[in-house]
Amino acid sequence: MHVRWGIAMALLLAACSQEGTLVVQIRTDVAPGTGFARVRTTIDGVATPIEVGFEERRSWGTGARVAEVAGLPTSTLVLRVGLVDASGAVLVERPVRVHMEPGLNLVTVFLTADCVGVMCPLPGDAGDATACLAGVCVPGGCTEETPEACGLARCDTTASCPSSSVACAHPECSASGVCFEVLDHEACGDGAICDPAAACVPIGCPDLDGDGLCDDVDPDQDGDGVENAADCAPLDPSTYPGAPELCDGLDNDCSEGGGPLADPNGLFVSAGAPPPWVTRHFTTVADALAATTPTRRSIYVASGTYDEVALSIAAGPTVFIKGGRDGDCDYGRAGDRSLIRAPDRVITVEPGGDLFIEDLDVHATAGAGGQYGAVVTSGTLRAVRVGFTTEDDAGLAIAFSAVDSTVTFQNVDAQPGISGSGSSAALSLVRTDLTATGGRFVTLGGSASRTIGLTDGSLSLDGPWIENAATDDAVGILADSGAVQLTNAVVVARGAAVSGVGLQLMAGVTAHVAHTYVSASADTGTARGIVVETPTVDLVNSVVRAESGPLGESIGIHTDTGGAVRLLGCDVTSLGPAASPVLSAARAANTIPEVEAMCASLAGCVEARGNVDLGCEIDADGHLLTPACVDIGVTPLPVDPPDRLDRDRDGDPRPNGGGYDLGPDEL
């Protein structure tokens, strides 16, 4: 009677204020002590956490008050109530939206065992289903006082609920419409609580596996099926003879061996603390590299940024450096790259060295003399998903350099910083064989820059983007000597004041270019799509474009003395002053007549992506009379501006529109 009078008086007094008092009580079917140690209550942005120990209440099953907070504003608040174990880990937590009214506000929160480990909303749930009740995600406004917000109707009377498995508990159909097992701790008497798995058990009796047996008399304390005497870790249920090995650094199967590591000899680099199973941890790549041995050659780098000294790869077996790793047992990819940076040059592969790198960004910062992302000398390098970059520099800036080496790229990007009045290059290759698939090679500054430079050796590129935007002379690819094979590529030299050349093939070069777009532009100087000074060049099913300003000159393909090119199904366009030639050749036999003769013998129309028209007819001016000699597909080329590519050089529309069919008119 006194309690009812006290609550009535509190309601009367609170109603005279525009502030409210929140009283929180919980009901739970998780056993106190053996199941949870404390109850934690927080109000977002309003109050500090309130904690109540399990031993402070006896009515956890029927309703235990865990918090009372006065002076709260009359608005919508978010209340969070959770069960916490002895280590401080949250077993289950439920967010509740409370619409505060002036006066006393009572909220009853159910925390059920079948919500342990459930993160709401689950796939397929509504976005506001943020709380778990009886294993189901419900709206945050669902409480026993507001059952209409729950949307559950699993029971209507207690008789429709299953009976309890232990004598100290009984079923109940809650106001929110779910069956709830009420643990009657009072029925167990003083010094004991009701455990749904073992009936009445003593309070404070350690029971690790929750089987109702106190640990001091339990022959299998961790409940893993192996008695303590035969268990190498009797207090760890994940460790016993015959257990599966886990990624936790422990001997889970009691075999005195390690876990299932993908690479037991791996070296792990991370800025923060390593996972517990890692035995060889370093904070820099340089330190890990110094720890390599003939049998320990793999370095796994966690995502992040690492300031390094220069990394040197000496002669010996292959060294593997893989970035963007997540630190799991399989050293799996985390989905991003690791950034390593150092002054002058970041990576040097010495003679006889062999390096494989993956998921790295390699950046050379400003140093004393020039900058190189990586330098390979008489060695081997393979790179997958790697970026080479340098800082802006007034002198020399080269993203990647190789001499007398073998290099393989897969989706590699290279871009030096803007070098001002100096020279820059994305790739500098001397007596080196480089094979690349995909990637972007870009040079954006310098008075004399070549995005890719080759002297001897070979260059085989499939599907790259190559771009140069130097302030004076800009060359996309400059090959002094060697072999060049370019397929499915885009080569752009743009914005140069003096000259722009997309592809420059000097004497001594053999080249085969197919399904490639080459573009050159110059503001005031000469724009040349391709410059050929060698007699051994094949240009197949490709587009060449040159464009200059009103004071410059543009040439689609320029063959210098000794140069010759075989044109097979190509589109050559020259834009600019009226006198700009499409083809400028020292040997007239290189151009239209040769193509006409080849098409007449059916040798000039080669298959490309399965679409071929062998009825190749050409008029006296070199215009195709048939719809298309070769169809290179319908994917728009990623170049500027594409609007002219649906017309020939006379301005007439092509039969297949913007599909970039090579012809008519544009051989």
Side-chain angles (χ1 to χ4, degrees):
M1 182 67 180
H2 294 291
V3 173
R4 293 180 181 176
W5 181 87
I7 293 177
M9 181 59 71
L11 286 167
L12 179 62
L13 293 175
C16 299
S17 170
Q18 292 303 307
E19 296 181 338
T21 298
L22 179 62
V23 175
V24 183
Q25 70 174 8
I26 75 161
R27 299 183 67 182
T28 182
D29 57 0
V30 180
T34 57
F36 69 93
R38 300 188 304 282
V39 179
R40 179 180 298 158
T41 304
T42 61
I43 301 174
D44 285 4
V46 176
T48 55
I50 300 171
E51 293 198 355
V52 175
F54 80 90
E55 68 281 352
E56 297 180 40
R57 302 284 186 274
R58 298 280 290 162
S59 55
W60 297 112
T62 56
R65 181 177 295 191
V66 294
E68 181 174 338
V69 183
L72 297 176
T74 54
S75 61
T76 300
L77 306 177
V78 177
L79 167 73
R80 300 179 190 275
V81 185
L83 303 180
V84 182
D85 67 14
S87 69
V90 176
L91 299 174
V92 59
E93 182 180 70
R94 184 171 165 187
V96 180
R97 290 194 308 274
V98 180
H99 303 288
M100 291 293 296
E101 301 289 345
L104 193 65
N105 298 260
L106 176 64
V107 176
T108 302
V109 180
F110 272 49
L111 298 172
T112 55
D114 45 14
C115 285
V116 174
V118 177
M119 300 295 292
C120 292
L122 296 172
D125 288 336
D128 63 346
T130 57
C132 180
L133 174 62
V136 179
C137 294
V138 297
C142 169
T143 69
E144 294 308 290
E145 289 73 30
T146 57
E148 67 278 359
C150 302
L152 296 177
R154 294 186 169 185
C155 63
D156 50 8
T157 65
T158 296
S160 61
C161 295
S163 59
S164 298
S165 58
V166 292
C168 58
H170 63 269
E172 176 185 309
C173 180
S174 71
S176 53
V178 298
C179 290
F180 176 72
E181 188 171 36
V182 181
L183 304 181
D184 186 0
H185 304 297
E186 298 288 351
C188 292
D190 294 338
I193 55 97
C194 181
D195 189 309
C200 295
V201 297
I203 295 177
C205 166
D207 183 11
L208 179 63
D209 56 3
D211 62 357
L213 295 176
C214 294
D215 286 342
D216 58 352
V217 296
D218 191 344
D220 180 15
Q221 288 178 254
D222 56 12
D224 58 13
V226 177
E227 293 192 357
N228 299 340
D231 196 338
C232 66
L235 303 182
D236 184 354
S238 70
T239 301
Y240 54 89
E245 284 288 356
L246 304 175
C247 182
D248 56 8
L250 302 177
D251 179 19
N252 302 109
D253 63 357
C254 296
S255 63
E256 300 184 359
L261 305 184
D263 183 357
N265 292 319
L267 310 172
F268 187 70
V269 178
S270 67
W277 58 269
V278 171
T279 58
R280 301 180 182 90
H281 175 250
F282 306 87
T283 57
T284 68
V285 180
D287 289 342
L289 188 60
T292 58
T293 67
T295 58
R296 187 182 301 153
R297 311 291 286 180
S298 295
I299 299 172
Y300 303 93
V301 186
S303 302
T305 299
Y306 301 86
D307 290 308
E308 302 281 347
V309 297
L311 306 178
S312 182
I313 309 300
T318 305
V319 173
F320 298 85
I321 303 177
K322 300 183 179 183
R325 300 294 139 165
D326 57 16
D328 288 342
C329 283
D330 61 354
Y331 295 107
R333 293 178 60 201
D336 51 7
R337 297 178 181 177
S338 304
L339 170 61
I340 58 175
R341 58 191 183 191
D344 291 335
R345 64 183 63 184
V346 185
I347 297 175
T348 299
V349 179
E350 299 176 357
D354 190 342
L355 175 63
F356 178 95
I357 53 178
E358 183 177 74
D359 295 313
L360 292 176
D361 284 321
V362 180
H363 182 73
T365 58
Q371 297 169 46
Y372 297 83
V375 175
V376 184
T377 304
S378 300
T380 300
L381 182 135
R382 288 159 289 169
V384 178
R385 296 182 299 273
V386 173
F388 297 102
T389 58
T390 73
E391 297 276 355
D392 294 348
D393 193 289
L396 182 66
I398 296 178
F400 180 85
S401 174
V403 179
D404 295 319
S405 298
T406 301
V407 178
T408 303
F409 285 165
Q410 181 178 337
N411 296 326
V412 169
D413 302 335
Q415 180 173 330
I418 297 175
S419 62
S421 60
S423 59
S424 60
L427 306 179
S428 176
L429 310 171
V430 178
R431 297 183 301 278
T432 290
D433 297 324
L434 183 142
T435 301
T437 302
R440 292 177 62 91
F441 309 108
V442 178
T443 304
L444 296 179
S447 60
S449 67
R450 288 86 176 95
T451 299
I452 300 177
L454 173 69
T455 301
D456 289 337
S458 64
L459 180 66
S460 178
L461 306 178
D462 186 359
W465 174 283
I466 301 164
E467 180 180 356
N468 192 313
T471 54
D472 291 332
D473 294 326
V475 180
I477 298 178
L478 171 61
D480 289 317
S481 53
V484 175
Q485 181 163 320
L486 201 58
T487 307
N488 303 317
V490 174
V491 183
V492 179
R494 66 174 85 235
V498 176
S499 68
V501 178
L503 182 59
Q504 187 165 355
L505 306 172
M506 308 298 285
V509 173
T510 60
H512 180 85
V513 180
H515 307 294
T516 290
Y517 181 93
V518 181
S519 172
S521 62
D523 295 335
T524 59
T526 301
R528 292 173 289 179
I530 301 178
V531 174
V532 178
E533 299 184 15
T534 176
T536 51
V537 175
D538 287 340
L539 189 64
V540 179
N541 305 334
S542 296
V543 175
V544 181
R545 174 191 176 110
E547 183 173 5
S548 65
L551 301 179
E553 181 184 21
S554 63
I555 301 173
I557 298 177
H558 175 81
T559 55
D560 209 338
T561 302
V565 57
R566 285 164 33 104
L567 298 171
L568 305 180
C570 294
D571 182 335
V572 181
T573 304
S574 181
L575 303 174
S580 297
V582 173
L583 300 172
S584 170
R587 296 166 58 191
N590 300 331
T591 57
I592 298 300
E594 180 178 341
V595 177
E596 183 177 8
M598 290 181 180
C599 281
S601 65
L602 304 183
C605 298
V606 298
E607 182 174 358
R609 302 185 186 178
N611 299 309
V612 182
D613 179 3
L614 295 180
C616 187
E617 299 179 12
I618 304 174
D619 65 16
D621 296 326
H623 293 178
L624 275 172
L625 301 178
T626 48
C629 183
V630 178
D631 182 352
I632 65 168
V634 298
T635 302
L637 295 172
V639 293
D640 68 300
D643 55 340
R644 289 188 58 90
L645 294 179
D646 61 353
R647 295 177 177 270
D648 63 20
R649 69 168 178 261
D650 298 328
D652 299 326
R654 292 177 172 157
N656 290 330
Y660 306 113
D661 294 335
L662 299 181
D665 277 13
E666 302 297 355
L667 280 176

